[in-house]
Amino acid sequence: MPELAYSVTRHRAALAEATDRDVLAALRRGDETALDELVRRKTAPLLQTVYRILGDLEEARDVVQVAFFRIWEHRERFDDRWSPNTWIYRIASNLAIDHLRSRRSRERSTEPVRRHLRQVADVRSDQSLADLHGEEVMAIFRELSAELTEKQRLVFLLREVEGLSSQEVGEIVGCRESTVRNHLFNARKLLRRELVRRYPEYAPADSRDGEEDR
Amino acid sequence: MTCPDWNRLVAERDAAPPTDVPGGPPTDAPEAWDRALAHLDGCPSCAPRALAADPALVFRRLPAPEIGAADVEAMRRAVESMRRADRVAHGAPGTPAGRSAASRLRRLRLPAPGSWRQIAAAAALAAASFGLWLSAPDEASRTAEPLAAVAAPSAALVPSARNLAAEPVFLDLAEPRAADVYQVGEEDLLVVMVMDETLDV
């Protein structure tokens, strides 16, 4: 009877049960099955985060693909003391920010986009903020967040939308917690101000008054 | 939890100092803020009041694309293609790509290069291939193609020292996805069988 010496299937099943840290440890040893496992685990959350940063799913796919490739290329740099998630998100976030910068340099003028968004907003002017659909929220965020710095946008998304702690956001973005709080404070203020200024129909009356006073 | 007073919460949050203050709060929002946000996610009636207090809260509803198994598989293939293209571009011995090929072979626990075991295994597989060819019922079935189909992977998967040095083409073209490696025989004659139904050979 042949003796089963090694089974990729069994190895894959074992990795599926392993922690993120163990998967990264296997990755550091050059285990390509571990990369498959990491792709299986992290594609959805990374795509969701990067999509929110970029506002475009196809671009998000490209960025996440490159992120996994970078993770493989730099696998030996991962330090066991780091949080696996933080390291992975940091690579993906940095790539997304780089992509955002290059896109901004390509699209110096966003006026055509703004005109289109205004038309969308006009058609739906009978709605309140609470009634907006997801894609409308994304379109408005994409427009308004152009006023934020890349770090402000990233901090706002990771802290306010993804719900990460300030400490985690600091590790991903590569800054102190106090800096995270500063970025978040300024991002909230800017977004609120621009939302009220550009889409007054969505802003409640007391909020409009408040923003004008600030 | 009862619906919170959003105006008060937003005012408290915005009044919290954004920079580090000795002895100050360790987070960037009052403790009640995170609890209120969790409540907001499950309470539709809170949404209008929360958004009235802070319109930027609408961005908590930024959509997330639905990612299915097909997306994950497409991503896996895309990443694999990138790595393969990179190996082709930087596949010289001693580079990370070269190490990658070597580690792949180690992972399959194939005989070490130059080992007499691999020579015995290759010989056994070659003999089996030759036997298949001889036992073919007619001349038409003794074409070169079936022989190549059997012999080519065996030669590459049980590589000679020369094949190893040149990085086996077979493994580069078809990464085993569900390979089971069996060993038959003892020290004097060891046959290694790699079975992978996902490889169309």
Side-chain angles (χ1 to χ4, degrees):
Chain A
M1 185 67 184
E3 177 196 347
L4 184 63
Y6 181 80
S7 167
V8 173
T9 316
R10 287 189 188 182
H11 181 51
R12 182 168 288 122
L15 278 171
E17 301 288 318
T19 62
D20 282 357
R21 194 171 289 283
D22 289 340
V23 171
L24 277 182
L27 197 73
R28 280 183 68 181
R29 294 192 297 268
D31 185 339
E32 297 182 357
T33 311
L35 180 64
D36 283 354
E37 178 59 25
L38 203 66
V39 171
R40 191 185 68 75
R41 287 181 191 196
K42 302 296 177 188
T43 292
L46 284 183
L47 260 182
Q48 286 168 355
T49 302
V50 173
Y51 167 68
R52 283 166 169 161
I53 295 171
L54 300 178
D56 183 298
L57 186 55
E58 285 315 306
E59 289 180 13
R61 284 187 209 280
D62 291 344
V63 166
V64 172
Q65 180 186 333
V66 175
F68 280 123
F69 180 68
R70 285 276 173 86
I71 287 168
W72 172 258
E73 268 193 322
H74 298 164
R75 62 191 182 275
E76 288 171 8
R77 294 188 197 171
F78 176 71
D79 190 320
D80 278 339
R81 290 168 298 178
W82 300 342
S83 151
N85 240 10
T86 302
W87 187 64
I88 291 165
Y89 271 79
R90 185 171 187 166
I91 289 174
S93 302
N94 284 340
L95 285 168
I97 293 298
D98 287 347
H99 188 84
L100 208 55
R101 282 187 188 137
S102 69
R103 184 211 278 165
R104 278 182 178 174
S105 67
R106 288 196 307 271
E107 301 172 1
R108 286 291 178 202
S109 168
T110 57
E111 280 312 312
V113 179
R114 285 182 185 172
R115 269 201 302 277
H116 172 70
L117 284 167
R118 284 251 44 99
Q119 286 163 3
V120 171
D122 288 344
V123 169
R124 300 187 167 274
S125 59
D126 56 329
Q127 287 185 316
S128 72
L129 270 181
D131 298 327
L132 284 180
H133 293 295
E135 60 269 27
E136 292 168 317
V137 175
M138 176 55 90
I140 292 173
F141 180 74
R142 196 172 162 172
E143 182 200 354
L144 301 189
S145 63
E147 302 297 324
L148 305 178
T149 65
E150 284 89 3
K151 282 206 169 172
Q152 283 173 344
R153 179 197 286 230
L154 186 57
V155 165
F156 180 82
L157 284 171
L158 294 176
R159 178 76 182 97
E160 202 83 337
V161 182
E162 303 287 337
L164 302 183
S165 71
S166 295
Q167 186 190 345
E168 288 172 306
V169 176
E171 285 169 7
I172 291 170
V173 177
C175 62
R176 296 189 310 163
E177 275 187 69
S178 56
T179 313
V180 168
R181 291 198 279 273
N182 264 325
H183 284 319
L184 185 63
F185 182 83
N186 290 326
R188 279 175 182 152
K189 194 175 160 187
L190 251 164
L191 286 173
R192 199 163 47 212
R193 189 190 69 203
E194 290 302 308
L195 185 66
V196 171
R197 189 171 71 83
R198 299 186 200 191
Y199 296 93
E201 63 274 28
Y202 289 145
D206 53 345
S207 176
R208 276 197 292 269
D209 298 341
E211 283 306 320
E212 280 159 11
D213 295 342
R214 288 178 210 203
Chain B
M1 179 184 177
T2 55
C3 293
D5 179 348
W6 285 100
N7 283 323
R8 184 179 59 79
L9 277 175
V10 169
E12 282 178 10
R13 183 201 69 185
D14 290 348
T19 51
D20 282 335
V21 172
T27 62
D28 51 315
E31 197 182 322
W33 179 251
D34 285 334
R35 284 203 305 273
L37 289 182
H39 170 83
L40 175 64
D41 292 338
C43 177
S45 63
C46 252
R49 276 177 288 133
L51 290 171
D54 181 3
L57 281 173
V58 74
F59 298 122
R60 283 179 59 78
R61 299 209 336 259
L62 279 175
E66 285 188 17
I67 309 299
D71 296 290
V72 175
E73 178 58 17
M75 181 62 68
R76 191 195 65 72
R77 287 177 185 276
V79 173
E80 195 174 299
S81 298
M82 275 189 91
R83 291 178 43 234
R84 247 177 226 165
D86 185 65
R87 273 208 297 270
V88 170
H90 307 98
T95 63
R99 284 202 305 275
S100 170
S103 68
R104 205 164 53 243
L105 285 170
R106 278 198 302 278
R107 181 161 55 80
L108 287 171
R109 293 184 186 171
L110 292 170
S115 159
W116 59 270
R117 289 183 180 191
Q118 64 180 250
I119 298 167
L125 285 167
S129 305
F130 186 63
L132 276 175
W133 182 73
L134 282 180
S135 63
D138 51 50
E139 192 64 31
S141 62
R142 290 182 190 176
T143 57
E145 267 187 45
L147 263 181
V150 173
S154 64
L157 282 169
V158 187
S160 67
R162 187 165 163 246
N163 278 343
L164 261 184
E167 206 177 294
V169 174
F170 178 81
L171 282 177
D172 258 6
L173 294 177
E175 170 75 12
R177 300 286 313 138
D180 288 338
V181 182
Y182 292 91
Q183 288 182 189
V184 191
E186 298 300 327
E187 284 201 346
D188 53 341
L189 178 64
L190 181 69
V191 177
V192 178
M193 291 189 294
V194 180
M195 304 179 70
D196 187 343
E197 60 186 18
T198 65
L199 297 182
D200 186 17
V201 293

